[in-house]
Amino acid sequence: MDGMIGCCGLDCRSCDAYIATVNDDQKLREKTAKLWAELNSAPILPEHINCAGCRMDGVKTVFCQNMCAVRKCVIEKGLATCADCPSMEGCGTLRPIVSNSPSALENLRRG
């Protein structure tokens, strides 16, 4: 599977944190931090908006590195992505992601 497809199936190339990182775009970091802070009622700052991709070596956002339940599950099971899990289709951990982003499930199914 393409290394830029995250554990959950989201395409990291379309994530504003990834885009801000690869383009060193401070204005996008600020915009993304503000939006994510509002959406998550959390103190997210522009310096938190740096990510090389969920499954790639390098920096990760605090959420992806430490809080993402899907990524934690995949790592604990020793899988590359949820596509490698026989329970993917009915998974309650993955459900919130694919409910909001059906393309994530499509990416996983394509493998």
Side-chain angles (χ1 to χ4, degrees):
M1 179 172 291
D2 177 346
M4 291 307 295
I5 299 299
C7 295
C8 65
L10 291 174
D11 188 338
C12 294
R13 289 173 288 235
S14 64
C15 175
D16 284 342
Y18 174 78
I19 295 166
T21 302
V22 297
N23 294 317
D24 194 20
D25 186 335
Q26 188 61 24
K27 292 213 180 294
L28 182 56
R29 280 188 186 99
E30 291 167 5
K31 176 184 168 191
T32 303
K34 183 176 187 231
L35 174 64
W36 289 7
E38 290 170 3
L39 290 173
N40 296 289
S41 299
I44 299 172
L45 304 173
E47 55 266 28
H48 299 148
I49 307 300
N50 289 292
C51 193
C54 173
R55 298 187 310 124
M56 304 303 287
D57 290 336
V59 67
K60 312 268 181 283
T61 65
V62 172
F63 176 80
C64 293
Q65 182 71 42
N66 301 314
M67 299 163 54
C68 178
V70 172
R71 186 170 184 269
K72 282 182 184 180
C73 180
V74 165
I75 290 170
E76 286 172 6
K77 290 181 178 180
L79 307 173
T81 70
C82 292
D84 301 320
C85 182
S87 303
M88 177 184 81
E89 294 293 335
C91 179
T93 304
L94 182 61
R95 187 174 304 120
I97 302 287
V98 298
S99 293
N100 289 324
S101 300
S103 63
L105 188 56
E106 293 169 22
N107 288 337
L108 292 168
R109 286 179 178 155
R110 273 194 301 268

